[in-house]
Amino acid sequence: LQLQASGGGLVQPGNSLRLSCEASGFNLDDYGIAWFRQAPGKEREAVACIKCRGGGEDYADSLKDRFTISRDNAKNMVYLQMNSLTPEDTAVYYCAAGPPNYFTDSAGLRPSRYDYWGQGTLVTVSS
């Protein structure tokens, strides 16, 4: 089971970027999928997840107005649309797969829930 995150790069503040997470060896729709990020010198933090809260989506409170997670089952891909980016969004972004969460708690945003991790893609927001 492998996950491949892609789509990172250098983007100017205020612009948008879409990250992709491609799975091989398993069906993404059978799993909860999450995006996490880790900025230099900081701890890994949750960004968003899908099939992870009541079977639906969940977001970090500080990001839910700008970021959107979605999936394309036909392509076995999960995406993270990021809008109105700021330098504080600079980080390595990781996608991860774990058991889906059909309860309505926020367990889907915990890194410990996820068994499979991609290698990360770097997003740099700078002018």
Side-chain angles (χ1 to χ4, degrees):
L1 279 67
Q2 289 187 332
L3 292 168
Q4 178 81 30
S6 62
L10 176 63
V11 61
Q12 292 188 337
N15 284 359
S16 299
L17 201 62
R18 189 178 79 161
L19 304 182
S20 300
C21 179
E22 183 176 13
S24 57
F26 66 103
N27 184 0
L28 273 179
D29 195 35
D30 293 333
Y31 289 78
I33 306 297
W35 287 96
F36 294 87
R37 69 183 185 181
Q38 188 165 18
K42 295 187 177 181
E43 294 186 353
R44 186 170 298 188
E45 64 173 342
V47 175
C49 60
I50 194 164
K51 210 166 190 175
C52 65
R53 184 166 189 162
E57 303 157 13
D58 202 3
Y59 294 89
D61 287 341
S62 62
L63 300 175
K64 61 184 178 182
D65 293 333
R66 298 188 295 118
F67 289 15
T68 303
I69 191 170
S70 62
R71 70 164 78 228
D72 185 333
N73 290 335
K75 295 182 179 180
N76 211 28
M77 300 276 283
V78 170
Y79 304 101
L80 181 69
Q81 177 68 40
M82 306 185 294
N83 299 327
S84 302
L85 287 163
T86 74
E88 288 68 38
D89 296 314
T90 295
V92 177
Y93 285 72
Y94 300 89
C95 61
N101 181 26
Y102 296 106
F103 297 102
T104 55
D105 56 30
S106 60
L109 292 176
R110 298 174 190 164
S112 60
R113 185 173 184 86
Y114 295 90
D115 304 309
Y116 306 102
W117 291 77
Q119 85 292 354
T121 186
L122 176 62
V123 174
T124 303
V125 185
S126 175
S127 55

